[in-house]
Amino acid sequence: MPVNDLPYPLFDADNHLYETEEALTKFLPEKYRDAIKYVQVDGRTKIAIRGQISDYIPNPTFDVVARPGSMEDYFKNGNPEGKSRREIFGKSMKSIPAFREPAARLELLDELGVQRTLMFPTLASLVEERMRDDPDLIHVVVHALNEWLYETWNFNYQDRIFTTPVITLPNVDKAIEELEWVVERGARAILIRPAPVPGYKGSRSFALPEFDPFWKRVVELDILVAMHSSDSGYARHDAEWEGSDGEMLPFQTNTFRMVNEWRPVQDTVASWVCHGALFRFPDIKLAVIENGSSWLKPLLDVLADTYKKAPEGFGMQDPVEAIKRSIHVSPFYEEGVTDLIDLIGVDQVLFGSDYPHPEGLAQPRHFADMLGHLEEKDQAKIMGGNLARLMNL
């Protein structure tokens, strides 16, 4: 078990694996083999989706990556010198086995003092947006990825690493089939993109009644739904303001995008109540991961005002109370937890380190450094107890 200098076990709500080149392709049916290719561009390996090269992940092989936590000072103190992202990242490192497979990761978790973790894929976040005009292909690629995740990482590795399979929702029947497939193989949490669902007739909110059969099955299976920061497609809206047609590039400075960075998760959470799913499924368990918490108070303020003016639009049920009941939030380290606890209560707050991404913490347990003003029982809830409860562990 982990060596930990804290008086309670740590359950990290946000760890990441780095996929190998076969993650999206190994289990693709033959007829879809050309959908995803790795290609050479000026001596660098890039990923091409249906012939379109993507720069969303600068190095999709992950053979060389930024060091864990290399942006900690940037997020804490800003960037007064106007450094480039490359300068902020500093010296890169070669991927180590712990980033690629679970046995080595377990050893690293012991070194880091973390008992359990949710494990999210990294490259997977580009799939749905780049295939949004072909929902059938999205389902095929997502299933291929889940097969690779299960073969390589398992969905429950020694009751300590809980890898989150991806569920895409364009076809509700296929989504339910995928959900049951991953749960049968040990999944305790699933990953849903915080974005409208692609479809042949356009996109729509997953909180509309047409998706109720899926959410009903989620509740029946008592599965945690994680909504992790992703490419939610909002670059299209940014592009309309900027007169461009480029894709989302998370590691390039774009001040307009930074101003609007949390609109996807804000709109996602708003849709849960504005489109009624959180009222129809009050027992659903939702976790918002790697989106911080700064977006939440403005959203709750607007919803409170809207409810005061149009309660009939929410079926006469309070949207703020529904969110406080069902939504759990992992704040960024630099934000602290005091305001969030005041807003939604300590039982709804989750510890997430984003390890080993550069935006995260180099030492996940240091998240507890900002909890010293809390009673130990509340620290224990945030650092793992709340997540363990949500996952019935």
Side-chain angles (χ1 to χ4, degrees):
M1 298 302 293
V3 175
N4 185 16
D5 55 4
L6 295 169
Y8 40 73
L10 273 57
F11 193 168
D12 195 337
D14 188 19
N15 260 218
H16 284 269
L17 60 88
Y18 285 130
E19 295 93 329
T20 63
E21 289 188 33
E22 66 177 11
L24 295 174
T25 60
K26 181 176 181 178
F27 291 99
L28 269 183
E30 187 62 35
K31 65 181 291 188
Y32 297 101
R33 290 292 181 184
D34 291 335
I36 300 172
K37 296 286 188 182
Y38 285 83
V39 298
Q40 296 298 311
V41 179
D42 296 330
R44 298 177 64 88
T45 301
K46 297 290 183 180
I47 191 169
I49 309 295
R50 295 183 300 170
Q52 182 70 41
I53 294 173
S54 172
D55 286 311
Y56 173 71
I57 302 291
N59 179 10
T61 68
F62 300 116
D63 291 335
V64 176
V65 296
R67 293 182 178 275
S70 58
M71 298 181 75
E72 276 191 56
D73 183 71
Y74 165 81
F75 285 114
K76 182 179 180 181
N77 299 310
N79 184 20
E81 298 176 355
K83 294 180 179 179
S84 68
R85 283 293 188 269
R86 184 176 293 277
E87 290 173 318
I88 292 170
F89 285 157
K91 186 178 180 181
S92 59
M93 63 177 288
K94 290 184 177 181
S95 270
I96 58 176
F99 297 167
R100 301 288 204 175
E101 52 92 3
R105 185 56 158 262
L106 214 56
E107 294 179 5
L108 179 57
L109 289 179
D110 287 345
E111 294 176 16
L112 295 172
V114 176
Q115 182 183 35
R116 292 169 169 161
T117 187
L118 284 183
M119 188 68 64
F120 292 96
T122 298
L123 187 63
S125 59
L126 65 74
V127 171
E128 291 181 83
E129 180 59 24
R130 282 149 192 80
M131 301 177 182
R132 64 181 183 273
D133 62 337
D134 192 344
D136 289 334
L137 178 61
I138 298 176
H139 279 283
V140 170
V141 173
V142 163
H143 181 67
L145 171 63
N146 286 338
E147 287 198 79
W148 180 85
L149 288 172
Y150 178 63
E151 178 186 72
T152 307
W153 284 83
N154 299 319
F155 298 137
N156 178 352
Y157 188 79
Q158 297 188 17
D159 279 334
R160 290 185 61 191
I161 298 175
F162 298 91
T163 298
T164 57
V166 180
I167 304 292
T168 190
L169 297 169
N171 183 305
V172 173
D173 289 339
K174 290 182 179 179
I176 293 173
E177 180 181 338
E178 191 73 14
L179 173 67
E180 293 177 340
W181 187 89
V182 300
V183 170
E184 287 172 1
R185 288 157 179 79
R188 295 290 191 97
I190 58 172
L191 173 58
I192 300 286
R193 186 174 70 129
V197 179
Y200 284 115
K201 294 182 179 180
S203 299
R204 69 276 196 213
S205 167
F206 54 50
L208 291 170
E210 72 173 276
F211 297 100
D212 281 3
F214 176 80
W215 300 122
K216 179 176 183 290
R217 194 69 182 118
V218 167
V219 172
E220 290 171 348
L221 294 169
D222 199 16
I223 294 297
L224 175 65
V225 177
M227 297 176 291
H228 189 286
S229 180
S230 181
D231 183 352
S232 294
Y234 277 54
R236 299 197 302 279
H237 307 305
D238 298 340
E240 290 178 354
W241 285 101
E242 296 176 329
S244 66
D245 59 0
E247 66 178 342
M248 174 186 174
L249 300 174
F251 300 115
Q252 290 189 14
T253 299
N254 183 319
T255 53
F256 187 81
R257 177 182 171 273
M258 290 172 71
V259 169
N260 296 288
E261 188 168 10
W262 308 118
R263 281 305 301 267
V265 68
Q266 192 173 57
D267 290 350
T268 295
V269 173
S271 76
W272 276 105
V273 288
C274 292
H275 300 132
L278 217 52
F279 303 124
R280 297 191 297 273
F281 301 98
D283 294 327
I284 198 165
K285 298 182 295 189
L286 306 171
V288 178
I289 308 296
E290 204 184 313
N291 285 276
S293 61
S294 63
W295 52 272
L296 184 57
K297 186 179 187 304
L299 173 62
L300 295 185
D301 287 345
V302 170
L303 284 172
D305 184 63
T306 305
Y307 179 59
K308 180 177 68 174
K309 296 172 180 174
E312 74 281 4
F314 299 100
M316 308 302 290
Q317 299 184 68
D318 189 338
V320 173
E321 291 307 311
I323 288 172
K324 289 182 178 181
R325 177 191 64 234
S326 299
I327 301 286
H328 303 75
V329 177
S330 176
F332 293 134
Y333 174 78
E334 63 272 11
E335 293 174 328
V337 298
T338 302
D339 291 343
L340 183 59
I341 290 173
D342 290 344
L343 201 59
I344 61 175
V346 71
D347 290 342
Q348 307 299 108
V349 180
L350 305 176
F351 146 57
S353 71
D354 194 28
Y355 188 91
H357 284 176
E359 311 97 296
L361 297 177
Q363 294 291 335
R365 67 181 180 276
H366 286 174
F367 192 95
D369 293 348
M370 64 173 174
L371 307 181
H373 62 294
L374 301 177
E375 294 182 23
E376 186 177 302
K377 65 180 180 63
D378 288 337
Q379 295 182 38
K381 286 181 179 181
I382 291 171
M383 295 301 292
N386 289 336
L387 184 56
R389 168 178 48 83
L390 289 172
M391 295 177 61
N392 303 314
L393 296 169

